[in-house]
């Protein structure tokens, strides 16, 4: 059991890994930062679900519950690298449809930016011809 006065960055947090890859390196990082890794999934005990191509039913259950932070593996890596607890919202796992919407929005903004740049260049070229 972790010491109650533990001031390490992930102290008091309980992680469950729902990933296909080897979890041992991530376990070590979480433990070094003061967190606990749950060997089994107990929705009322964990604070963070680290998800990567795991059980979709579990992922949806956690999202409906709304009390557990769902993050990707990159959250653990970044916390370990920075040696501090980082905002989960920066590493929040997004549903595929939200990712698609975000990518479409980014692509649209990129296309609009390129179109505006092209128009600006065309206008500049026209002004040069007029002179």
């Amino acid at each position: 059991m972790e010491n109650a006065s533990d001031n390490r960055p992930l102290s008091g947090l309980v992680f469950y890994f729902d990933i296909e890859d080897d979890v041992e390196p991530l376990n070590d990082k979480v433990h070094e930062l003061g967190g606990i890794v749950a060997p089994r999934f107990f929705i009322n005990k964990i604070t963070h679900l680290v998800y990567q191509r795991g059980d979709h039913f579990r992922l949806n259950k956690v999202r409906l519950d709304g009390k557990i932070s769902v993050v990707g593996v990159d959250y653990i890596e970044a916390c370990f690298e920075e040696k501090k607890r980082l905002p989960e919202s920066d590493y929040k796992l997004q549903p595929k449809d939200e990712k698609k919407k975000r990518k479409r929005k980014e692509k649209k903004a990129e296309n609009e930016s390129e179109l505006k740049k092209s128009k600006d260049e065309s206008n500049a070229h026209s002004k040069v011809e007029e002179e």
Side-chain angles (χ1 to χ4, degrees):
M1 179 103 188
E2 301 294 324
N3 184 343
S5 64
D6 192 343
N7 61 359
R8 292 179 290 173
L10 301 182
S11 178
L13 303 180
V14 180
F15 294 83
Y16 179 79
F17 293 107
D18 194 354
I19 63 176
E20 295 176 348
D21 299 329
D22 179 25
V23 298
E24 198 59 39
L26 295 171
N27 281 346
D28 294 344
K29 290 175 181 179
V30 167
H31 286 288
E32 188 174 322
L33 294 173
I36 298 170
V37 177
R40 285 183 288 207
F41 180 77
F42 296 108
I43 199 161
N44 60 341
K45 301 281 185 190
I46 64 171
T47 59
H48 291 71
L49 172 65
V50 181
Y51 184 86
Q52 182 183 49
R53 295 184 305 268
D55 181 341
H56 291 290
F57 176 76
R58 180 178 294 129
L59 177 63
N60 290 333
K61 185 176 181 180
V62 166
R63 284 198 170 126
L64 287 173
D65 180 59
K67 297 175 186 168
I68 298 170
S69 294
V70 180
V71 294
V73 171
D74 56 337
Y75 177 73
I76 302 299
E77 299 291 352
C79 288
F80 188 77
E81 190 174 305
E82 297 286 327
K83 300 294 187 229
K84 64 181 182 180
R85 182 176 178 183
L86 298 169
E88 287 85 352
S89 59
D90 292 349
Y91 300 88
K92 185 177 179 181
L93 196 68
Q94 296 179 337
K96 287 181 182 179
D97 55 337
E98 285 181 27
K99 284 183 182 179
K100 287 178 186 175
K101 284 180 187 175
R102 183 172 39 85
K103 284 184 180 182
R104 277 195 301 256
K105 190 175 184 178
E106 288 171 357
K107 185 70 174 171
K108 183 179 178 183
E110 184 180 305
N111 288 342
E112 288 174 353
S113 175
E114 288 176 11
L115 183 61
K116 184 180 183 310
K117 184 179 175 183
S118 177
K119 284 182 181 178
D120 290 346
E121 288 173 356
S122 178
N123 288 341
H125 184 69
S126 294
K127 286 181 182 179
V128 169
E129 287 180 357
E130 288 175 4
E131 295 173 1

